[in-house]
Structures are given as structure tokens and as C-alpha cells.
Amino acid sequence: QVQLDESGGGLVQAGGSLRLSCAASGRTFSTRTMSWFRQAPGKEREFVAAIRYPGGSTFYSDSVKGRFTISGDNAKNTVYLQMNSLNPEDTAVYYCGATNRRLIVSAVYGDHEYDYWGQGTQVTVSS
């Protein structure tokens, strides 16, 4: 089992920044894929970003590319999501997802590919 603990959400004005953290504990492996998804009220959960190990290759949705950066600290088993130039459309509950597999590229974007999820952290961007 893997436990994921997210933190860093909050209220920010449009144009501001936040950094989310996702700390993994339990049965973690060097081969894994970590991701961030988000769900706004009345909408389905959508892919935001992911990072694969080994290698550290990253993936982003078109809506956040150039504004968000996903990164990882292997020593801390933690993944971060740096979010810049936030706008009200980014308001959602952000979830960290993980699997102990290095997903192929086409699978990275599907939430059903991830075996473990955090409890979510609320991000609210005011206009």
C-alpha cells in the first residue's frame, strides 16, 4: 500500500502562485508514475500533470502547460506542483495520484491508471 498526503492548497488572487506537495509513504518503488488531477464543482476529474520514474519525464495538460511545473524529490518521496499565473478556471480540488508502474505515454493521462490517491487539497483562485 502507498499513502499519499497532499498539502499546499489555499486561496490566492488571480495571477498569483501556489505550490502543492504530495508526500508518498508505504510501499514506494523506484519505478513509479506520480500525477496531479483536479476536479472542479460539477465537472469530471481532469489530468493536470505527471512525472515518470526512472527518467523523470514530465507531462502536462494543454490548459496548464507553461504555467505549472511538476517536479520530484526522490529522497523525500515527494512530488510538487508549482502553479504560476493562476486564474479562476484553475479553482478545483487537486488530487495526487500514484502507481508503482512506469506508465506508457498514452496511459499517463488516464485517472484509472493510478492505484493510489490522496485526499485532495482545495485551490481557490479569486478574480
Side-chain angles (χ1 to χ4, degrees):
Q1 280 287 58
V2 174
Q3 292 78 44
L4 302 174
D5 185 19
E6 300 134 331
S7 60
L11 174 64
V12 64
Q13 288 189 331
S17 299
L18 282 175
R19 189 178 81 154
L20 306 183
S21 299
C22 173
S25 60
R27 287 177 60 81
T28 59
F29 297 91
S30 59
T31 299
R32 63 192 184 279
T33 306
M34 306 286 291
S35 67
W36 289 96
F37 283 73
R38 66 186 182 186
Q39 187 167 21
K43 295 187 177 181
E44 293 186 354
R45 186 160 58 183
E46 65 171 356
F47 173 82
V48 175
I51 186 167
R52 294 189 308 183
Y53 295 101
S57 51
T58 58
F59 306 85
Y60 298 94
S61 68
D62 288 342
S63 62
V64 308
K65 197 173 296 182
R67 301 188 297 123
F68 292 10
T69 302
I70 188 170
S71 61
D73 184 334
N74 286 336
K76 297 181 179 180
N77 274 337
T78 299
V79 172
Y80 305 98
L81 185 68
Q82 177 66 43
M83 305 186 295
N84 299 328
S85 301
L86 286 161
N87 59 62
E89 289 70 40
D90 296 315
T91 295
V93 177
Y94 283 69
Y95 296 93
C96 177
T99 179
N100 283 322
R101 295 172 291 145
R102 187 177 184 274
L103 295 175
I104 61 174
V105 173
S106 59
V108 162
Y109 305 92
D111 62 354
H112 61 281
E113 297 285 354
Y114 297 89
D115 303 306
Y116 308 101
W117 292 93
Q119 77 285 356
T121 185
Q122 177 70 48
V123 171
T124 302
V125 184
S126 63
S127 57

